[in-house]
Amino acid sequence: NAGVTQTPKFQVLKTGQSMTLQCAQDMNHNSMYWYRQDPGMGLRLIYYSASEGTTDKGEVPNGYNVSRLNKREFSLRLESAAPSQTSVYFCASSATAGVSRTIFGQGTRLTVV
Amino acid sequence: AQSVTQPDIHITVSEGASLELRCNYSYGATPYLFWYVQSPGQGLQLLLKYFSGDTLVQGIKGFEAEFKRSQSSFNLRKPSVHWSDAAEYFCAVAATRGGSEKLVFGKGTKLTVNP
């Protein structure tokens, strides 16, 4: 099925460990995004990539890095995980701004202990 | 900066009753507005969107929303709620830049439906 695929779906990390969340879309979308969702906070933008080869910070970028590997893939890396990064992470993609709708993946539930 | 306020954290309605979820936004230009729904443990599903034109927007699952520029509001409505509508609802405004569509979300309204 076409859409946004995130891996893994669940992950438990120890404080200080690193990991990369993977995201791929097969809709030929130009833009991709990483959001985090915390209880009572809605979703907040971490980083986004307007097009292949570009990345920009969102509202809450500290502690994260991203890579737009190609048009399909956009990864999010936690270099040294902290308990404050316990959250549900959503990857999303969109086509041309103004006419598209953003499509979300199913999320990755990350717990940092 | 763009912002979205959903004044109601939690709403409880009886099945068959009408529903209105409130959303107020702050945005300098003409906003692109969205309502998403999230069932427990699931991703986000788009209910409806407003870009321009008719200010009353129809969405999926019998939902509609009305854009009121004078009140900076985009409230979501449904005439008769079903038990399956129990979920969390998010209003969002899009900040477009360089081809991207960054979404700024409200904090959400959790809907409980009583039988």
Side-chain angles (χ1 to χ4, degrees), chain A residues 59-72:
Chain A
E59 182 185 353
V60 288
N62 291 344
Y64 305 96
N65 286 300
V66 290
S67 295
R68 183 75 183 266
L69 305 170
N70 48 55
K71 191 170 187 179
R72 289 187 65 247

Side-chain angles (χ1 to χ4, degrees), chain A residues 35-48:
Chain A
Y35 292 86
R36 61 176 288 173
Q37 181 180 27
D38 302 293
M41 297 297 293
L43 280 79
R44 293 177 291 170
L45 183 64
I46 304 171
Y47 270 93
Y48 68 102

Side-chain angles (χ1 to χ4, degrees), chain A residues 31 33 35 37 40-43 45 48 50 90 94-102 104-106 109, chain B residues 32 34 36 38 41-44 46 49 51 88 90 96-103 105-108:
Chain A
S31 302
Y33 315 81
Y35 292 86
Q37 181 180 27
M41 297 297 293
L43 280 79
L45 183 64
Y48 68 102
F90 287 98
S94 69
T96 304
V99 297
S100 76
R101 61 174 181 157
T102 300
F104 284 85
Q106 289 300 300
R109 185 172 296 274
Chain B
Y32 297 153
F34 306 81
Y36 285 87
Q38 184 182 36
Q42 300 298 311
L44 281 81
L46 180 68
K49 61 188 176 186
F51 285 164
E88 191 157 20
F90 293 95
T96 59
R97 177 184 176 188
S100 66
E101 187 177 83
K102 301 184 294 178
L103 294 172
F105 286 86
K107 295 183 178 181

